[in-house]
Amino acid sequence: AVCMGVATAANWTWNFLISFFTPFISNTIDFPQYTETQAHMIPVVTSKWINNCVARKRQGPVRPYSPDPRMIFSNVVVACANIPDTDKESILGAVMALGGQESKDAGKMTTHICALSMDHPKIEAAQAKKWKGKIVLPHWYALETAPAPSSQYAFLCANAKL
């Protein structure tokens, strides 16, 4: 019984250390251990993650670098402006479930601001900073298999980049 306890503790410690320090690096999920990595919550990242870590000189976030094709919003960081709370929760929940991230403000990492109109302080502040992201309507995220092209749901104004 003591041996089994030690073996279990060693196995748990080993899995913890591997998952904490070393994500699997693969540009596809088509490898035999993928199911096991997900069961043990070991992150799997693309090779772009290495470039990010080298550029930052530290370990970067793993979520934006998932090779899983179901994570269609893995390169999306969205902030919401003038959206009702229940709609905002739905939008952010869908984006995060499909690999995206939430941002409170339009910072350097924010790729999209989801808004009903252009007259919101968050949008005005972003435009004043010459923010390079896209301002889109809430319908932008609604397609089932892939995000809708931003150009279909972007505000048409002089400062909006499509």
Side-chain angles (χ1 to χ4, degrees):
V2 172
C3 291
M4 290 303 292
V6 171
T8 302
N11 188 30
W12 183 89
T13 303
W14 176 251
N15 286 337
F16 171 77
L17 291 173
I18 287 202
S19 68
F20 187 75
F21 295 110
T22 315
F24 274 68
I25 299 168
S26 174
N27 290 325
T28 179
I29 63 170
D30 189 22
F31 62 95
Q33 296 85 3
Y34 182 75
T35 305
E36 233 178 285
T37 63
Q38 298 306 290
H40 292 289
M41 296 176 60
I42 299 171
V44 179
V45 295
T46 64
S47 57
K48 291 179 183 179
W49 179 79
I50 297 171
N51 297 335
N52 177 274
C53 293
V54 170
R56 294 174 54 152
K57 297 180 182 172
R58 62 185 170 141
Q59 187 171 345
V62 295
R63 190 174 178 97
Y65 300 97
S66 172
D68 191 339
R70 296 170 295 183
M71 298 297 143
I72 58 175
F73 290 118
S74 64
N75 294 320
V76 172
V77 179
V78 67
C80 290
N82 69 355
I83 307 269
D85 286 341
T86 54
D87 293 344
K88 179 180 174 180
E89 288 176 15
S90 296
I91 291 167
L92 294 176
V95 168
M96 291 172 70
L98 295 172
Q101 299 178 62
E102 172 190 6
S103 175
K104 300 293 181 199
D105 297 310
K108 291 179 183 178
M109 299 297 292
T110 307
T111 59
H112 295 76
I113 297 176
C114 188
L116 292 172
S117 67
M118 294 293 290
D119 58 348
H120 189 274
K122 191 180 287 188
I123 295 172
E124 292 168 1
Q127 288 177 330
K129 294 179 192 174
K130 299 195 189 292
W131 174 71
K132 295 184 169 113
K134 298 172 183 169
I135 302 168
V136 295
L137 290 166
H139 309 77
W140 159 77
Y141 81 96
L143 289 182
E144 292 178 30
T145 58
S150 296
S151 60
Q152 288 181 358
Y153 296 103
F155 286 100
L156 299 177
C157 66
N159 296 335
K161 306 239 188 238
L162 301 178

